[in-house]
Amino acid sequence: MALMKRLQKSAVEITPIDITHNLESLQFESALNDEEKQLLTLRKRSHAMVVTACTQATFFANILHEARQIKKQMKSPQKMTAKILQDKEARDPLKVGIIGCGRLGSQLAHCLLTYGRVNPKDMKVSTRRPETLEYLQNKVMAEEIKEHIPGHTILYSFVAAYSPQKLKQILQTNQILKPDLSWNKESEQNSWDCSENVNTALENPVTVEKTCPFGNLKSESVILTNEKFGELMIFALLNMCTSLRLNKSDCLSILNLTLFGGISEDKLQESDFIKKTQDSHGVFPKFDLVKISQINTSVQKRVSSSEHLRKAFINRYMMMFEEYLKRRAMLGPDMEES
């Protein structure tokens, strides 16, 4: 908990809260001419982009981490309770690597360490500017990027200049997840508070839901997320479970539990992914995420048409960030260890 306290303080130091908020005469906009004010939309767009990217990546990392913990507990079904997700020491923790620690990379690191279940020792950061890691020196380690990427690794890309297809060609892997974010004239008219740092913005449930791929408030956001990205999260999680040598039945159980809260209605089934067989103990094939991003699938159709699945996904998405706020409330404003 002491770590949480330090992270909150450092996050504020990196991206300070705008103390001129609601003091119009003191805000920097007041000194701009009409032509310059037209460029303010870029500021709003940039801030919304970072918040959206960090929120989605943090949620996805949490889901992968939970799935790994549940897999370990499957050997002892009687112990499979919500408590396993609250254990201080994860049995098989998710390993996270961040390439580049600029504005987006550093904010992502803070979100993962604050709202996520990523242990500092399980995060590696690579940057060409080691000085940017000074504020993270007690939490993460910087190292050079390895030449070889393990086949089970999921690459989560924020690189706008490279499409998933191009990255697949360069890196020789099809396990690439890339958010499909966009904006238009209508979305840029939506209100957005640029004065908050990213960590603080994620304390607002309305802001969080605006970033959800299947959220009901997406149309109110400055940055729009294609629902296809939510579908890719589903396939990526399934691929990881398969890499952990789980059979189809166990893969589906973990997927429906972590992403959809174990709903009883409209669960995703084997036939949504492949032609159903009689062998439930067999394994799923490894799905090409780059190819999935380009085609229509049965999963996409099921989630799009099922109110139960969409609502369950949103609830899980929101819960990830609400859990941190509940922990902080229980421990007091300073989040100090008792």
Side-chain angles (χ1 to χ4, degrees):
M1 292 300 104
L3 170 63
M4 291 296 215
K5 177 183 176 182
R6 294 197 300 272
L7 285 170
Q8 286 299 101
K9 287 184 176 180
S10 60
V12 172
E13 291 171 0
I14 297 163
T15 314
I17 295 176
D18 185 359
I19 62 174
T20 68
H21 186 55
N22 291 330
L23 298 176
E24 186 173 338
S25 62
L26 296 181
Q27 294 176 8
F28 81 93
E29 290 95 329
S30 63
L32 303 178
N33 58 40
D34 292 340
E35 184 176 351
E36 291 171 332
K37 286 182 179 179
Q38 294 180 11
L39 299 177
L40 288 177
T41 184
L42 298 179
R43 181 189 180 212
K44 181 166 67 172
R45 183 195 303 168
S46 175
H47 186 274
M49 182 79 76
V50 173
V51 170
T52 300
C54 289
T55 311
Q56 294 173 349
T58 300
F59 168 74
F60 183 63
N62 280 353
I63 287 298
L64 296 185
H65 178 81
E66 282 195 5
R68 300 180 78 89
Q69 304 317 298
I70 294 174
K71 183 259 184 182
K72 282 293 182 181
Q73 292 295 326
M74 280 184 163
K75 295 180 180 179
S76 304
Q78 68 276 13
K79 296 182 181 180
M80 249 185 88
T81 65
K83 185 179 181 300
I84 67 175
L85 303 179
Q86 302 170 6
D87 291 341
K88 292 183 178 179
E89 293 297 329
R91 294 190 178 188
D92 182 22
L94 178 71
K95 306 291 185 180
V96 175
I98 299 178
I99 303 176
C101 200
R103 179 166 181 259
L104 178 55
S106 61
Q107 294 288 1
L108 175 59
H110 275 286
C111 286
L112 289 172
L113 293 171
T114 303
Y115 293 94
R117 298 190 175 92
V118 177
N119 192 302
K121 67 182 180 181
D122 297 319
M123 179 185 291
K124 306 294 183 183
V125 179
S126 175
T127 178
R128 291 179 294 179
R129 297 175 57 204
E131 66 274 14
T132 63
L133 291 174
E134 182 178 354
Y135 61 90
L136 289 172
Q137 61 185 353
N138 294 324
K139 309 170 186 66
V140 296
M141 296 175 58
E143 66 174 10
E144 293 299 321
I145 302 304
K146 304 301 181 183
E147 293 182 1
H148 303 288
I149 301 174
H152 62 270
T153 299
I154 298 174
L155 297 177
Y156 197 109
S157 174
F158 295 112
V159 183
Y162 291 93
S163 66
Q165 295 77 21
K166 184 64 175 179
L167 289 172
K168 177 181 179 179
Q169 179 182 1
I170 296 173
L171 302 175
Q172 295 298 299
T173 178
N174 56 37
Q175 297 304 293
I176 298 172
L177 206 59
K178 190 174 187 297
D180 187 359
L181 306 179
S182 62
W183 58 88
N184 54 43
K185 291 183 179 180
E186 288 73 24
S187 69
E188 290 186 334
Q189 299 305 311
N190 291 329
S191 61
W192 189 272
D193 188 355
C194 299
S195 66
E196 296 180 322
N197 64 65
V198 177
N199 269 10
T200 303
L202 299 191
E203 294 180 9
N204 186 336
V206 174
T207 299
V208 171
E209 186 170 353
K210 286 181 180 180
T211 70
C212 180
F214 299 119
N216 296 319
L217 303 180
K218 285 192 308 175
S219 61
E220 299 178 20
S221 180
V222 174
I223 297 300
L224 308 175
T225 302
N226 193 319
E227 289 193 357
K228 187 72 175 177
F229 186 60
E231 177 197 357
L232 286 169
M233 287 185 178
I234 295 172
F235 277 96
L237 173 59
L238 195 65
N239 279 348
M240 187 197 74
C241 291
T242 300
S243 296
L244 294 175
R245 300 180 180 179
L246 293 170
N247 60 41
K248 289 181 288 188
S249 178
D250 287 342
C251 283
L252 289 171
S253 294
I254 289 178
L255 186 151
N256 282 303
L257 179 60
T258 56
L259 273 177
F260 301 100
I263 60 172
S264 57
E265 297 182 74
D266 275 355
K267 287 185 178 181
L268 288 177
Q269 302 174 8
E270 177 182 342
S271 57
D272 293 316
F273 297 92
I274 60 174
K275 185 176 180 180
K276 188 172 182 179
T277 65
Q278 298 299 318
D279 183 14
S280 63
H281 296 290
V283 297
F284 279 109
K286 198 73 170 289
F287 294 100
D288 182 333
L289 298 183
V290 176
K291 182 178 180 180
I292 294 295
S293 69
Q294 299 174 288
I295 63 175
N296 295 323
T297 69
S298 297
V299 172
Q300 179 181 9
K301 183 178 180 180
R302 282 271 280 115
V303 177
S304 297
S305 61
S306 172
E307 188 63 29
H308 292 293
L309 285 173
R310 295 173 69 86
K311 184 176 180 180
F313 187 100
I314 295 172
N315 288 340
R316 289 292 293 149
Y317 193 91
M318 302 293 291
M319 187 183 300
M320 289 293 181
F321 301 93
E322 292 171 355
E323 287 176 351
Y324 164 75
L325 298 178
K326 290 178 181 178
R327 291 197 303 269
R328 192 178 69 177
M330 290 176 61
L331 293 167
D334 294 328
M335 295 196 72
E336 292 181 337
E337 292 179 313
S338 57

